[in-house]
Amino acid sequence: MKQYYLAVDIGASSGRHILGCLDNGTITLEEIYRFENGLKKVDNELCWDIPKLFEEIKNGLKKCKEIGKIPTTMGIDTWAVDFVLLDAQGKILGNTVGYRDSRTTGMDEKVYEIIPQEELYARTGIQKQIFNSIYQLMAVKEQHPDYLEKAETLLMIPDYFHYLLTGKAMTEYTNASTTQLVSPQSKDWDFELIDKLGYPRKIFGEISLPGSVVGSFSKEIEEEVGFSCTVVLPATHDTGSAVLSVPANDDNYIYISSGTWSLMGLERMQADCSPASMQANLTNEGGYEYRFRYLKNIMGLWMIQNVRKELNNAYSFAELCDMAAKETVHSHVDVNDACFLAPEHMITAIQTYCKEHNEPIPETPAQIADCVYSSLADSYAETVKELETLTGRSYERIHIVGGGSNASYLNQLTANSTKRPVYAGPTEATAIGNILAQMLHAKEFKNVSEARSCVFSSFGVKEFLPN
């Protein structure tokens, strides 16, 4: 009888339920349910619709029952940094505000009044992003101090969904590390830092590793979806799951987890919290088995996703790639400029940036798409140089996983810009990594190396050589 493992992978724009199983040494995947997600304005804040998302999680579980494929275990991964505060009754305090909301404006300076930026990086190794949980908590402290007074528990978004399924609150390591409140030395909350910032230490629960068992569905959930299941922690940060699925077992490559964000970096056993690393804005996020994801956040496909939407979805991403590949007018922008984080109109933001920096102004869909893809590839090349300078060594190839591995034009541009071969795939990296953590817990594989070899043989990669 086949053993099924369920990955619920929720991103900023959509979520899906993917069943995985090991069949004669090959991992097979089946997407059984998909739903939409997105930020909405509530009380003038950009918020996640948590009740709706949880209903969709349960709808996907009901689909498992309907098709007769009951998972042995399941786990949920999402984006990082966002959280809920729960009161003594387990109810959410306030809105579940998303990381693209402007409430953190100026909160970095509030934090630096207490601890200088250099010292903060030396303690945590986490790059400055204005939406990091540390700044979101400062916004809560400044704007809604009563929430912190009433709060008993802080849970990252996937941890909260696991809590709703099982009734057990657990905090998973990879996502907790993105808060900028975890020590890379102790792999635990930096309570001295938390005390300095005036955040109540009681809300920060014990941190657990991927592969830990949360528990079985509560009776209420079991009755509603029609079966029980054991919840096992994956790397609940979607990038943590994606990196686990990179089909390589040496240390001579740089990965790009390519999606709404491009997370580009290395896997290491020690964090680099040096001033030079801070200046390069590199981060040391927690990974599977206490590996560090030493990486840079790059704006990623967020820009082209918005461009496509503003073009009324008249073109598929593949069509935009093909059109861009034929373009002869080339413009370049700094994809990491703050103006592209949450503009009202992405195309206008791109054109305005080009005008202000004396670049050719892209007008046609092909020119705009080429600008985004070319600029991303340039950013990747710059990041390769930074990583090699900081680590004092060179890396022979690039592995691209995630949805962006389908963007052939971008993959070729990346090979050309970095002057290294690019290996693209698997596309479903996050779901695969989520399932791998469950399979490793079930002893389907002896170790990560064996699991990654299975990913390579199950899904393969496509090679792009530099021109």
Side-chain angles (χ1 to χ4, degrees):
M1 184 175 173
K2 287 184 179 178
Q3 297 286 324
Y4 292 102
Y5 305 90
L6 176 65
V8 181
D9 171 29
I10 308 177
S13 59
S14 67
R16 61 262 179 83
H17 292 58
I18 295 181
L19 282 171
C21 71
L22 197 58
D23 190 2
N24 294 320
T26 298
I27 300 170
T28 61
L29 302 178
E30 179 183 2
E31 182 181 306
I32 61 164
Y33 191 72
R34 181 176 283 266
F35 54 94
E36 292 185 354
N37 187 27
L39 289 163
K40 297 178 181 177
K41 280 274 187 180
V42 179
D43 302 327
N44 210 34
E45 293 178 318
L46 285 171
C47 300
W48 303 109
D49 191 342
I50 293 297
K52 177 181 177 294
L53 287 176
F54 189 58
E55 284 303 312
E56 296 287 20
I57 290 169
K58 292 187 290 184
N59 287 340
L61 293 171
K62 292 172 187 175
K63 187 70 175 178
C64 292
K65 176 69 173 178
E66 180 185 320
I67 65 176
K69 295 180 178 180
I70 307 300
T72 303
T73 63
M74 62 91 68
I76 302 171
D77 65 77
T78 75
W79 61 95
V81 305
D82 289 343
F83 56 86
V84 296
L85 294 172
L86 304 181
D87 65 15
Q89 285 73 46
K91 303 298 183 185
I92 295 178
L93 292 158
N95 295 326
T96 306
V97 183
Y99 63 88
R100 292 191 189 274
D101 186 74
S102 61
R103 68 173 175 168
T104 52
T105 301
M107 293 303 116
D108 49 346
E109 295 306 319
K110 294 284 185 184
V111 168
Y112 301 151
E113 287 172 10
I114 299 166
I115 178 169
Q117 184 177 359
E118 295 77 10
E119 185 182 339
L120 180 61
Y121 188 86
R123 290 184 79 116
T124 67
I126 298 297
Q127 72 181 128
K128 179 188 176 179
Q129 297 273 23
I130 192 60
F131 48 69
N132 285 352
S133 314
I134 189 173
Y135 307 118
Q136 292 200 45
L137 278 167
M138 185 57 71
V140 174
K141 181 183 171 186
E142 291 289 314
Q143 299 158 17
H144 301 284
D146 54 315
Y147 295 168
L148 283 181
E149 290 170 11
K150 296 173 184 173
E152 292 292 328
T153 308
L154 178 147
L155 290 177
M156 308 304 284
I157 298 298
D159 294 329
Y160 179 62
F161 289 138
H162 290 151
Y163 168 70
L164 291 179
L165 289 171
T166 66
K168 186 173 180 183
M170 286 180 68
T171 299
E172 188 275 324
Y173 170 64
T174 67
N175 219 326
S177 72
T178 70
T179 62
Q180 210 170 355
L181 293 167
V182 169
S183 164
Q185 283 75 42
S186 69
K187 302 352 182 250
D188 198 359
W189 299 113
D190 185 336
F191 283 111
E192 184 181 5
L193 173 60
I194 286 166
D195 290 343
K196 278 185 177 183
L197 293 166
Y199 306 153
R201 65 162 61 198
K202 69 178 180 179
I203 67 176
F204 299 94
E206 181 181 350
I207 295 175
S208 299
L209 283 175
S212 301
V213 174
V214 182
S216 299
F217 290 170
S218 67
K219 286 294 181 187
E220 293 79 8
I221 296 296
E222 181 180 352
E223 289 173 6
E224 183 173 354
V225 303
F227 65 92
S228 189
C229 178
T230 300
V231 176
V232 171
L233 291 178
T236 63
H237 182 196
D238 50 14
T239 307
S241 279
V243 170
L244 180 57
S245 75
V246 174
N249 278 318
D250 61 0
D251 65 350
N252 209 9
Y253 66 90
I254 292 171
Y255 61 76
I256 304 174
S257 176
S258 179
T260 300
W261 290 90
S262 288
L263 295 310
M264 184 173 187
L266 311 165
E267 201 172 47
R268 311 176 77 190
M269 295 311 295
Q270 299 294 327
D272 182 348
C273 302
S274 68
S277 181
M278 186 193 80
Q279 284 300 116
N281 210 26
L282 287 159
T283 199
N284 297 270
E285 295 174 353
Y288 190 84
E289 290 183 336
Y290 289 133
R291 293 168 170 85
F292 285 99
R293 292 173 285 130
Y294 188 52
L295 59 84
K296 173 166 277 192
N297 279 24
I298 299 168
M299 197 67 74
L301 298 178
W302 162 254
M303 294 176 70
I304 201 70
Q305 289 165 355
N306 278 267
V307 166
R308 179 173 179 260
K309 199 179 297 181
E310 290 171 22
L311 294 171
N312 298 314
N313 297 320
Y315 309 96
S316 69
F317 289 118
E319 287 172 330
L320 286 170
C321 267
D322 291 342
M323 291 159 56
K326 299 181 180 76
E327 187 49 57
T328 57
V329 176
H330 303 291
S331 308
H332 295 270
V333 300
D334 176 2
V335 295
N336 296 313
D337 192 283
C339 69
F340 302 122
L341 181 62
E344 285 192 33
H345 301 286
M346 183 64 75
I347 292 173
T348 301
I350 291 168
Q351 292 171 330
T352 300
Y353 183 98
C354 288
K355 183 178 181 181
E356 291 175 350
H357 291 80
N358 298 315
E359 289 281 332
I361 299 173
E363 300 289 351
T364 68
Q367 290 170 356
I368 294 163
D370 177 67
C371 177
V372 173
Y373 289 129
S374 298
S375 300
L376 269 175
D378 287 347
S379 182
Y380 295 161
E382 291 169 11
T383 302
V384 168
K385 291 176 184 175
E386 289 175 334
L387 288 167
E388 291 189 334
T389 298
L390 285 161
T391 60
R393 56 167 296 186
S394 61
Y395 300 89
E396 66 179 22
R397 65 191 190 279
I398 312 290
H399 277 274
I400 301 180
V401 299
S405 65
N406 281 331
S408 295
Y409 179 53
L410 176 57
N411 295 338
Q412 187 60 58
L413 287 174
T414 301
N416 297 345
S417 292
T418 63
K419 298 180 173 58
R420 287 162 178 77
V422 165
Y423 297 90
T427 302
E428 297 289 355
T430 301
I432 293 167
N434 183 322
I435 289 165
L436 287 185
Q438 298 178 54
M439 287 182 168
L440 284 160
H441 165 76
K443 304 291 193 283
E444 297 270 24
F445 303 110
K446 286 185 269 187
N447 50 41
V448 171
S449 178
E450 186 175 273
R452 283 174 164 165
S453 294
C454 188
V455 171
F456 185 87
S457 62
S458 299
F459 303 100
V461 296
K462 188 173 181 181
E463 185 180 49
F464 297 81
L465 299 176
N467 291 332

